[in-house]
Amino acid sequence: MGKYRFGQWVILSACSLSLVACSADGDEGPGAAPSNDDHRVTDKVPATPPAVPAVACPTGRVAIDATSLAFDGEGGYVTMGNAASLALEQFTLEAWVRRDGFGMPHAAGEGGPDLVPIAGRGGGNYVLGFAEDGELAADLENEEGVHHTVRGKSDISLGQWHHLAASYDGTTWRLFVDGRLDAELVAKTTPRTSGHPSFAVGSMLDESGKPAGFLKGAVDEVRLWNHARSASEIADSMFRRATQGTGLVGRWAFDEKDSGAPDSVGTSHGTLSKGAAFVRDGAILDVGLPPALRGNPSVDGRNVTLDVKVDDPDSAAFSASFYLREVTAGEDFTIVVLPDTQYYSRYPEYSKYYYDQTKWIMDNAAAYNIVGVIHNGDVVDQVNVEAQWVVADKAMKTLETKSARFPEGMPYGVGAGNHDQDPFGTAGGTVKYNQYFGTSRFQGRSYFGGTYSANKTDENWVTFSGGGLDFVLVDLQYSSKAREAAVLNWTKNVFAQHPNAFGIVNSHHILNADASFGAAGKSIYDAVKTTSNVQLLTCGHISAESKRSDQFGGRTVHSMLADYQSRANGGGGYLRIWEFSPANGELTVRTYSPTAKKFETDANSQFTLKVDLSGAGNAAFKAAATVDLADASSVRATVDGLAPGKNYEWYATVTDCAHVVSSPVYRFSTK
């Protein structure tokens, strides 16, 4: 048995702790099978987990000080020049890649698909990169100028290292993610080898050497082979340096000590541009495989067992640390939704309702812990009437009042409605809308993330935080028909760039009065339902209240409609108050008029939804216990005597000296 080091359960009032280490085939003990009612698992991992205590490394295993080449996504790349040895008809291109952001896509040759490049002869031979919706993709062009593009299926998580590869055997494209086949495409063509495009990493260079498209992230251990490697060959060697091998025609280790980007097996040495720099983070190679973790929490009344299975085929020695926190009701927070304000903007006698709404939000920001505001669109009723925009501008400026809590004003997002479009109801006709709510209005506000189209907020995204949880809101303008694939891919990409954030889509028309999807709403839902962090869709447009909850892939997406414009006084100032409770995993929706000082409490106006708020909470994870093991593959911490009816979150971190791996965050409730 290994040596145990105990921490203190600093967030618990009274409990006892014991640690048990066991082998994979050992006794699992009572209650090992988890109950779905007692715990949840999420793919969210704390952004800054506590440091893992050092573990005594076995002989021959040492911690690695790895480096890689990072690219800024704006102009950084490295070029290996136009080497004839790199113009191939059959090949395997592989690399370790950490994608940190969207980057800058560009066409892979004339008539080719838009890709964010990783590496290749992208000006007209072959290129490996990322497609618009974030999946791995590769393209080749034949001598006739015809492009053959294969697209992957796996989500490539941002901020994490992945081994990515593409092979072509003269007939079939194949993509590999972390050593596993991800997609394939029969092309039956010969890649173009004529012309003079240069091989590059981080960008694509045309025949004149001009770069286009840029990767935002880091790359390590790039290898190019003159044949298609098998899946087993790729998997077997991806955690090792390849300093030689039959058919290896280029290899760039991107080690800072090499003073540049030399080709260790050939003469195609790389030249770094501005925007490419070495960083002390890279693929961990030549020290075996990283451990894989599987959490298995079980709850029995007021006791809980935190159990982590460790699969590390080439090492029996590792250090496991547990972290725990309580999620309390004191961390509740609120988002406010403003349904269509068009008649408040149009009729002077109704403008007070709009002014009262935004004033109430700021006056009650502390009492309700309001962290953000969503406007569903139809800011005005008649797009070309200046006076209506003046009213809307004045009302929304109240949200921009600066304070110690909100130095940039209250974070908010707006989606253009059909009445905000000119010609009426025409997507893209938003000149007036952008005059008042364009990018210039949000310049300098850090919560404003960006836009789909340059200098236009027709489609935009913003961020805000509540209860220790980050939110990403994507605002999409009104459309009477299904949204374009490019817009939907952009939307998915925004959420993919923030995998640990709670995702919300705001578009003017998503649901109808009977809770069925409109054409645009159906296309939006179908696009984001595969994006694991989107949980809420919100809209107006139809004067009604409705809601629906759809299940996909084991999770729930809630869609809500609220619009009161057909009621007396243009809607009477009713808004939606979304109250989030991380402790209970719930969102309570309430409907309120600040002018009438009245809540509406029927079932369509006030209700509670279950949402996944795992990872929310301002309390820090505290180190609970650490155990060093030399002969076990499972470690278990048992907590006794927890307070009943409370909610806790925990995760574990394991290191085998060379690798550090964190489990997902798990949540459990005591009974």
Side-chain angles (χ1 to χ4, degrees), residues 107-282:
E110 185 176 354
D114 284 346
L115 297 178
V116 176
I118 297 171
R121 298 180 81 235
N125 189 184
Y126 56 86
V127 63
L128 176 66
F130 295 104
E132 288 183 342
D133 55 355
E135 79 273 22
L136 188 65
D139 178 77
L140 65 83
E141 180 183 355
N142 62 22
E143 293 291 352
E144 291 72 39
V146 177
H147 288 264
H148 297 266
T149 307
V150 58
R151 299 177 185 271
K153 302 173 183 177
S154 299
D155 291 333
I156 309 298
S157 53
L158 273 70
Q160 298 181 19
W161 284 98
H162 294 278
H163 186 270
L164 307 177
S167 72
Y168 185 68
D169 61 7
T171 299
T172 305
W173 259 126
R174 292 182 176 89
L175 295 177
F176 302 86
V177 175
D178 294 328
R180 297 183 299 273
L181 179 66
D182 191 50
E184 58 185 352
L185 173 76
V186 175
K188 292 184 178 179
T189 192
T190 300
R192 172 190 171 203
T193 56
S194 61
H196 305 284
S198 295
F199 189 94
V201 178
S203 184
M204 295 180 283
L205 275 61
D206 63 16
E207 296 198 10
S208 67
K210 181 180 178 181
F214 298 99
L215 175 71
K216 184 174 179 61
V219 179
D220 201 3
E221 191 69 15
V222 177
R223 307 166 189 169
L224 180 64
W225 308 76
N226 64 8
H227 62 275
R229 304 186 79 207
S230 68
S232 60
E233 289 175 323
I234 293 172
D236 289 345
S237 66
M238 68 185 206
F239 285 104
R240 297 195 302 270
R241 288 181 172 84
T243 56
Q244 59 183 355
T246 303
L248 183 62
V249 297
R251 183 230 175 203
W252 300 270
F254 293 152
D255 288 331
E256 187 173 19
K257 61 180 176 58
D258 292 336
S259 300
D263 179 357
S264 66
V265 299
T267 59
S268 301
H269 306 304
T271 301
L272 277 62
S273 74
K274 184 179 180 180
F278 289 101
V279 293
R280 292 196 169 275
D281 178 26

Side-chain angles (χ1 to χ4, degrees), residues 1-3 21-24 55-59 61 287-292 310-320 627-635 654-659:
M1 193 68 68
K3 180 181 67 176
C22 59
S23 63
V55 58
C57 294
T59 303
R61 290 180 68 83
V287 288
L289 303 177
V310 183
D311 182 11
D312 196 344
D314 49 35
S315 177
F318 56 87
S319 178
V627 57
D628 295 344
L629 299 172
D631 58 357
S633 60
S634 180
V635 62
V654 170
T655 178
D656 61 358
C657 296
H659 311 93

Side-chain angles (χ1 to χ4, degrees), residues 399-410:
L399 299 179
E400 298 168 357
T401 303
K402 297 179 180 180
S403 65
R405 183 184 177 196
F406 299 111
E408 299 175 351
M410 174 72 70

Side-chain angles (χ1 to χ4, degrees), residues 507-527:
S507 190
H508 188 57
H509 183 204
I510 294 176
L511 291 187
N512 297 315
D514 62 357
S516 63
F517 282 118
K522 185 64 165 60
S523 67
I524 293 169
Y525 169 75
D526 284 342

